[in-house]
Amino acid sequence: MKKLLLDCDPGIDDALALALAAGSPEIDLVGITTVGGNVNLDLTTANALALREFYRIDDVPVTPGSAQALLGAGVRAESVHGATGLGGVILPVPVNGVTDGHAVDFIIETLRSAPGEITLVAVGPLTNIALAVRREPRIVEWVRDFVIMGGSYTRGNHTPAAEFNIKADPEAAAIVFGAGWNVTMVGLDVTLTAVVTESILDQMRSLGRLADLVVPISQFYGVVEADGGPAIHDAVAVAHVIDPSLLKVLPAVVNVETVGTYTSGMTVTDFQLDGKVPNASVAVELDVDRFWKLVMEAYGRLAATIA
Ligand code: RIB
Ligand code: CA
């Protein structure tokens, strides 16, 4: 099993990524931390708590983190994820609440407790991760791997140049990419190919109680960024942890633009190393068919659990 700590801003594709983790026996989810992003922190945290109980992973601690970006006003995406962050779906009110403390300290202490064992996956703005590396720089040595859904070397989505998670807190992203670890960057270049097609939606409809969530939120998932349906970006980052062979990654030097009028939040990706030390492993290709096979098998297991 692989231990995974998920920092997220649920968020529709965050919810679908969490379902993948919950339905995968390869994953030991050691914690969920939340950050303001798609919607405000109170909602991303409420969604994480509700999803935890809906997926029957009640023993996984949920710890809230940063409500705002480090410097900027930050951005939100209610138009894409809905006012509550889960489309129009209302899940049962969770019984259990958050763990005491702040996500930054939870991340640090969890990684400290198991050096080399835990994969940290961030699928929202990187504010919590930036604060954690500033508070305890050694976490870059303690992680087994560090994977983000974020960035892109070809195009943005929140702006023509910037992907949402990076644009939401460019200064945090700059700190994270400069912290001394190798960031596995699962960006729009590959996640936009992870599209919920009508065929996938039909398969989701047979998931019983799980279908009551995954079908409507997939349909709701706002502006279609890819042909043929919404792309479930965050699930690709979790899938990479489960089966690294799904993605082709290349070494690169990634720098984050923080001051450009039109380019703030851009992940400037240099694959021409010429002796430079890479700070990132950048995803360039996704085996889409095997990705969906993995996802639907996990969803089938989870559906059986929560029936
Ligand atoms: O650009 C896609 C990313 O932004 C995903 O993490 C989605 O949840 C939003 O946060
Ligand atoms: Ca997200």
Side-chain angles (χ1 to χ4, degrees):
M1 287 182 98
K2 288 182 182 174
K3 295 178 187 287
L4 191 157
L5 200 174
L6 184 68
D7 187 73
C8 56
D9 61 333
I12 287 175
D13 57 329
D14 306 68
L16 295 166
L18 188 55
L20 173 58
S24 299
E26 304 89 338
I27 295 295
D28 172 13
L29 192 57
V30 299
I32 299 168
T33 51
T34 55
V35 64
N38 289 317
V39 291
N40 287 337
L41 178 67
D42 59 334
L43 289 172
T44 61
T45 304
N47 292 336
L49 291 171
L51 290 164
R52 172 177 68 174
E53 293 188 16
F54 186 71
Y55 296 157
R56 302 276 173 83
I57 51 174
D58 303 66
D59 59 336
V60 179
V62 173
T63 312
S66 308
Q68 298 294 343
L70 294 184
L71 280 182
V75 289
R76 294 287 181 259
E78 287 89 352
S79 61
V80 176
H81 296 263
T84 67
L86 288 181
V89 173
I90 306 295
L91 290 174
V93 177
V95 172
N96 297 311
V98 297
T99 304
D100 290 341
H102 193 281
V104 170
D105 294 320
F106 178 86
I107 291 167
I108 291 167
E109 293 316 314
T110 303
L111 295 175
R112 187 199 308 273
S113 72
E117 294 182 30
I118 299 171
T119 297
L120 176 60
V121 179
V123 295
L126 293 169
T127 317
N128 290 339
I129 312 302
L131 291 170
V133 292
R134 278 288 189 263
R135 186 171 170 83
E136 180 45 85
R138 289 177 293 174
I139 69 167
V140 307
E141 300 156 19
W142 294 339
V143 289
R144 173 177 175 169
D145 284 305
F146 174 53
V147 183
I148 72 168
M149 189 282 135
S152 166
Y153 59 88
T154 51
R155 52 159 288 181
N157 57 1
H158 194 75
T159 73
E163 178 278 325
F164 177 86
N165 287 335
I166 308 300
K167 179 62 183 170
D169 196 341
E171 289 77 13
I175 289 168
V176 168
F177 275 95
W181 47 14
N182 187 280
V183 182
T184 296
M185 182 174 103
V186 182
L188 296 175
D189 322 283
V190 295
T191 65
L192 281 170
T193 65
V195 170
V196 180
T197 61
E198 271 309 312
S199 159
I200 293 291
L201 215 45
D202 279 343
Q203 293 174 55
M204 286 180 171
R205 289 188 177 98
S206 64
L207 292 169
R209 190 157 173 264
L210 182 59
D212 298 340
L213 171 69
V214 298
V215 171
I217 64 173
S218 296
Q219 290 173 310
F220 183 95
Y221 197 9
V223 175
V224 172
E225 294 160 335
D227 298 337
I232 62 168
H233 308 279
D234 294 341
V236 182
V238 171
H240 171 72
V241 179
I242 298 164
D243 181 354
S245 72
L246 290 174
L247 283 175
K248 177 183 175 185
V249 298
L250 293 176
V253 173
V254 175
N255 286 294
V256 179
E257 177 60 63
T258 58
V259 295
T261 303
Y262 304 107
T263 54
S264 171
M266 181 175 180
T267 45
V268 181
T269 305
D270 184 356
F271 290 107
Q272 283 193 284
L273 295 176
D274 298 334
K276 297 191 289 292
V277 176
N279 64 338
S281 299
V282 176
V284 295
E285 209 170 290
L286 170 68
D287 186 328
V288 176
D289 291 342
R290 285 179 55 228
F291 166 77
W292 280 115
K293 182 173 183 299
L294 180 90
V295 170
M296 294 315 294
E297 284 172 357
Y299 285 8
R301 284 188 291 269
L302 181 60
T305 307
I306 69 169

